[in-house]
Amino acid sequence: MRLIQNGTKTDWTMFGATVFAIVVLCVPIIGFKDLAASVITSAYDSITSKFGVLYLWYGSGVLIFLLWLALGKHGRIKLGEENSKPEFKTLSWVGMLFCAGVGAGLLYWAVLEWGYYIEKPPYGLSSRSAEATEWAASYGLFHWGPSAWAIYCLPTIAIAYPYYVKKIPYLRLSTSVISFLPNGINSPRGRFIDFLFMINLIGGTGTSLGLSSPMIAGGFAKLLEVEHDFVLEVSTVVLSIAIFGTSAFLGLKKGFKKLADFNIYLAFVLLFFVLAVGPTIFILKVGTNSIGLVLQNFIRMNLWTDPITNSGFVENWTIFYWAWWVAYAPFVGIFVTRISRGRTIKQVIGGMLIFGSLGAWLFFIVFGNYALHLDINNILNVTDLMNQGSREAASAISQVILSLPFGEIALIAFVLISLIFLATTYDSASYSLASVSTHELKEGENPERWNRLFWALALGILPVSLLFVDGGLKVILSTTIVVSLPLLIVGVLMAISLMKLIREGEVETKNKNAE
């Protein structure tokens, strides 16, 4: 069944199946919240203990594959016609892919992630020792660095090549594995892959909003001097939905691009303000040291499984992060594909791995090391606040920002940046969901506005459901890994399908030249 509007056609089968899945997921969570928390965390523990090593292999394999692809002859392939030019300027393109890929979750983890590691450090180190403190400041850079962006980048290239070069008019995850779909994108196999993507995206965004909304609500509570409660968190979710719903309705160039540009500029202003008025030398020294630690130990960190002590660090952090990136990757891939016409494979891979990593590192180095300085110098006991619960941890972020000179102004800027980051992430997510629930979507076309607006609203349902569940951060994080496991198989198929298509293209080019 198809609805034609503005030249695009809504795929009601995929649309209806996903809406049904949202209802099936969310009603039990709200109605049986204690049981839901137990089931989700049990599934998380089982998957990480039995299949966690697969995520580590996947992350390393994807990074190696993409570096080989970018640095070899295939890196020169242009995504589009040979004479096509990029639709967006490089700075706007970088800002858009960064906003799509990180969201407000970056701000949460940039300020607090070191606090979880300093108390329970990796490699059997003593809690709060000097070495543990150095690693605490470093591990966030690893988790948000090239390996993470490589996981994002694989579906981008795997979708963009068939979409722009082979002219397959479907902006979907199934496009990335077209070589394994003999009956086409709309075959039962293709539809299953797209349905799997939509469920993963809803679960992944549930994690992001579940982390971000308490953080933003904590900022509002401090600024407005009101109680930080469930109502305020839900109100924050509603406000976020309103912002990215408006952006989704306005479209890529009038909505998302302007929001992303504005937010990147505002974020850089706040970052340099914190660097200037905070402990500048400490921030720069720890940041430099952290980059050195990550570069020196990059292979070890990618493959460390902690097989002897089994402290849980790898399962709770590295494997969780890789699962989060895997769940998010298809939607980032679809969105970055849409904004990358006219760029080469090498430019897209380099842009995502380099600019994505450096951007995230800047937030961790400045915000994270400022908060670390407050804690180890007993100016603000950040880790004690974090240990009191997830809501208190979110509130700790506000207290860190308020400790700055002109703290209230800085907190207003921080809350605004968080809201817009959240809005741009969900705007790109709604774009991806609308693209998958649309039949043919040719180069340069966009899904219908009502379709994007609907998914912008629907994406808020699971995060609100998770706010009902007791269990704090563990339940929110567990949701991601539970839904992401099947996409590891899809990721391998993506790489194989991409190389098949590239080689077919080379043969076609040789035959044309021979004629």
Side-chain angles (χ1 to χ4, degrees):
M1 182 178 181
R2 298 181 180 185
L3 176 67
I4 300 176
Q5 181 179 327
N6 298 329
T8 59
K9 303 171 183 179
T10 300
D11 186 341
W12 285 102
T13 303
M14 186 62 63
F15 185 95
T18 308
V19 172
F20 176 76
I22 292 175
V23 174
V24 170
L25 283 170
C26 296
V27 170
I29 289 175
I30 296 173
F32 306 96
K33 58 183 182 179
D34 293 334
L35 179 61
S38 175
V39 169
I40 291 171
T41 53
S42 296
Y44 173 91
D45 293 336
S46 178
I47 290 172
T48 54
S49 62
K50 294 177 181 178
F51 303 103
V53 69
L54 297 180
Y55 286 95
L56 301 181
W57 291 348
Y58 182 83
S60 299
V62 167
L63 180 59
I64 293 169
F65 172 71
L66 289 174
L67 290 175
W68 170 80
L69 195 64
L71 299 176
K73 62 180 180 179
H74 304 311
R76 296 190 295 270
I77 296 173
K78 179 168 284 191
L79 302 174
E81 305 296 337
E82 282 300 319
N83 59 353
S84 60
K85 296 182 179 180
E87 184 177 358
F88 299 95
K89 293 180 180 179
T90 299
L91 186 60
S92 291
W93 178 74
V94 169
M96 292 168 77
L97 74 86
F98 187 74
C99 287
V102 297
L106 171 64
L107 297 177
Y108 179 96
W109 293 114
V111 178
L112 295 184
E113 188 165 334
W114 62 268
Y116 294 100
Y117 303 152
I118 198 171
E119 298 283 354
K120 296 179 180 179
Y123 310 124
L125 301 173
S126 300
S127 175
R128 302 190 77 89
S129 64
E131 195 173 3
T133 303
E134 289 187 14
W135 278 107
S138 305
Y139 242 96
L141 305 189
F142 168 65
H143 287 149
W144 291 75
S147 297
W149 286 93
I151 293 172
Y152 276 169
C153 190
L154 175 60
T156 302
I157 304 300
I159 295 169
Y161 182 82
Y163 185 71
Y164 287 120
V165 179
K166 295 295 184 179
K167 304 300 180 185
I168 296 173
Y170 299 96
L171 197 53
R172 303 178 177 184
L173 179 60
S174 55
T175 302
S176 67
V177 292
I178 186 65
S179 297
F180 295 97
L181 302 176
N183 296 320
I185 299 291
N186 291 315
S187 65
R189 194 183 299 176
R191 286 184 175 275
F192 174 75
I193 289 172
D194 289 328
F195 178 72
L196 190 66
F197 150 69
M198 296 179 90
I199 297 303
N200 269 271
L201 176 54
I202 292 164
T205 50
T207 301
S208 183
L209 195 50
L211 289 171
S212 306
S213 53
M215 174 185 71
I216 298 170
F220 280 130
K222 293 293 183 182
L223 290 170
L224 302 176
E225 297 182 351
V226 296
E227 185 179 355
H228 182 179
D229 55 14
F230 177 78
V231 174
L232 184 60
E233 290 183 359
V234 173
S235 300
T236 302
V237 173
V238 172
L239 179 59
S240 300
I241 292 171
I243 294 174
F244 67 75
T246 303
S247 176
F249 183 78
L250 290 173
L252 279 181
K253 293 185 178 179
K254 291 183 179 179
F256 189 97
K257 178 182 176 296
K258 290 185 177 180
L259 268 180
D261 287 347
F262 171 77
N263 212 40
I264 290 297
Y265 291 132
L266 182 59
F268 273 109
V269 169
L270 183 58
L271 283 166
F272 285 111
F273 172 74
V274 175
L275 180 61
V277 304
T280 307
I281 300 301
F282 177 85
I283 290 172
L284 293 177
K285 287 178 68 176
V286 175
T288 303
N289 185 73
S290 298
I291 293 172
L293 271 179
V294 172
L295 294 179
Q296 182 182 3
N297 296 276
F298 189 71
I299 295 176
R300 181 190 185 190
M301 296 168 83
N302 269 285
L303 299 175
W304 183 53
T305 59
D306 194 15
I308 307 304
T309 60
N310 289 308
S311 64
F313 183 94
V314 176
E315 290 79 7
N316 291 335
W317 294 107
T318 303
I319 291 172
F320 153 68
Y321 265 120
W322 276 206
W324 193 6
W325 306 143
V326 168
Y328 250 43
F331 111 72
V332 176
I334 289 173
F335 183 79
V336 178
T337 291
R338 174 60 187 85
I339 64 174
S340 297
R341 181 176 57 183
R343 299 184 184 276
T344 64
I345 287 178
K346 183 177 182 178
Q347 288 172 337
V348 174
I349 294 174
M352 294 186 75
L353 266 60
I354 296 172
F355 291 118
S357 299
L358 291 178
W361 286 6
L362 187 59
F363 281 84
F364 272 85
I365 288 172
V366 175
F367 287 145
N369 291 335
Y370 175 69
L372 175 62
H373 177 266
L374 296 178
D375 188 86
I376 63 177
N377 288 283
N378 298 317
I379 300 170
L380 176 66
N381 202 325
V382 180
T383 49
D384 272 3
L385 292 171
M386 291 168 58
N387 291 333
Q388 292 174 23
S390 56
R391 188 167 289 169
E392 287 74 13
S395 177
I397 297 173
S398 299
Q399 294 191 45
V400 168
I401 304 300
L402 283 172
S403 69
L404 291 162
F406 307 102
E408 289 193 357
I409 296 174
L411 184 57
I412 291 171
F414 185 87
V415 169
L416 182 59
I417 293 167
S418 302
L419 271 173
I420 298 176
F421 262 139
L422 195 60
T424 50
T425 298
Y426 280 82
D427 189 0
S428 53
S430 70
Y431 183 94
S432 299
L433 287 169
S435 296
V436 174
S437 58
T438 300
H439 276 282
E440 293 189 4
L441 196 65
K442 297 179 181 178
E443 186 176 323
E445 290 184 345
N446 294 309
E448 298 151 292
R449 283 182 173 179
W450 76 265
N451 198 347
R452 292 185 66 194
L453 186 58
F454 172 84
W455 290 115
L457 298 173
L459 281 169
I461 296 175
L462 182 60
V464 171
S465 302
L466 288 173
L467 293 177
F468 279 92
V469 177
D470 295 326
L473 186 64
K474 179 68 179 292
V475 174
I476 294 173
L477 303 188
S478 300
T479 307
T480 300
I481 199 166
V482 170
V483 299
S484 70
L485 184 62
L487 284 182
L488 293 179
I489 300 171
V490 178
V492 174
L493 296 178
M494 281 183 209
I496 298 171
S497 179
L498 174 63
M499 292 314 302
K500 282 186 176 182
L501 292 177
I502 289 177
R503 285 169 184 148
E504 287 173 7
E506 290 176 335
V507 172
E508 291 172 3
T509 301
K510 286 180 180 178
N511 291 337
K512 286 181 180 179
N513 292 337
E515 294 175 0

